[in-house]
Amino acid sequence: MTDLADLIFPPACCSCGALLGRGMTTFCGACLSEIRFIRAPLCPVCGIPYPNEAEINHRCADCIRSKESFSLARAVGVYDSVLLEVIRRFKYRGRINLGEALGRFMAEFRYEGMKIEDYTLIVPVPLHRKRLKERGFNQAVVLAREIARRHAVPLDLGVLKRKIYTEPQTGLGRDDRLRNIRGAFEVVRPEAVKEKKLLLIDDVYTTGSTVRECARVLGKCGASEVAALTLARAV
Ligand SMILES: [Zn+2]
Ligand SMILES: [Zn+2]
């Protein structure tokens, strides 16, 4: 199906701007070939991919050592090259239309061991209102809106709130990040998550501390499951 908008603005690659051929969406072939897509073998919990294709899915050392507050986390690709550059452009240069295309890209990807339509509610990771004011939009909301729409899963933008402003976590390790973010989120309407299968949406999974803390508070309020989906993942 061709959208009217496609005739007026022919679809271009989100990364290099090349016009896309028939059947291509989001990225051109050259940019697609640079994305390191995440597929099996991976850790079935946190979703970290294993470089050796001959391996089978197995829990990574971190997931064996400590139980996660989320059931599973998945991402489209590794956070480098094309995905890193396109996420930065979307977030820091306010390219919201880019975010919509990336949300569609996330909605269309096939994730190992996860089906988006199995979830009963989609919840984007919230920004603190100070950060929201600085950026003007929440990148997770832009992505989540497209995913929810394309899979016909309800979206809740108000159930989870970031009540504490935290400095950017860049440069901090796994434990420091978790300590830094502990207590930063609050469930505003616990009854809205009770016995729901929730899918958290964010742009990047770095050490997992953000989705881990969101999942912890949502789980305490009676969510039956909390999974996380991001566009990219650090490895
Ligand atoms: Zn391209
Ligand atoms: Zn793991």
Side-chain angles (χ1 to χ4, degrees), residues 109-125:
F109 190 72
R110 296 277 164 266
Y111 303 90
E112 172 79 8
M114 176 192 274
K115 278 205 184 105
I116 293 171
E117 61 270 26
D118 286 347
Y119 293 87
T120 47
L121 195 63
I122 288 185
V123 178
V125 171

Side-chain angles (χ1 to χ4, degrees), residues 8-62:
I8 304 165
F9 308 106
C13 172
C14 285
S15 182
C16 70
L19 289 187
L20 297 178
R22 223 171 229 284
M24 302 285 290
T25 56
T26 322
F27 295 107
C28 72
C31 292
L32 272 179
S33 71
E34 290 202 15
I35 297 174
R36 287 201 279 158
F37 289 100
I38 295 177
R39 298 201 164 92
L42 46 70
C43 168
V45 183
C46 73
I48 194 162
Y50 298 120
N52 185 350
E53 283 175 22
E55 281 186 83
I56 53 164
N57 292 347
H58 61 274
R59 285 181 180 233
C60 71
D62 281 344

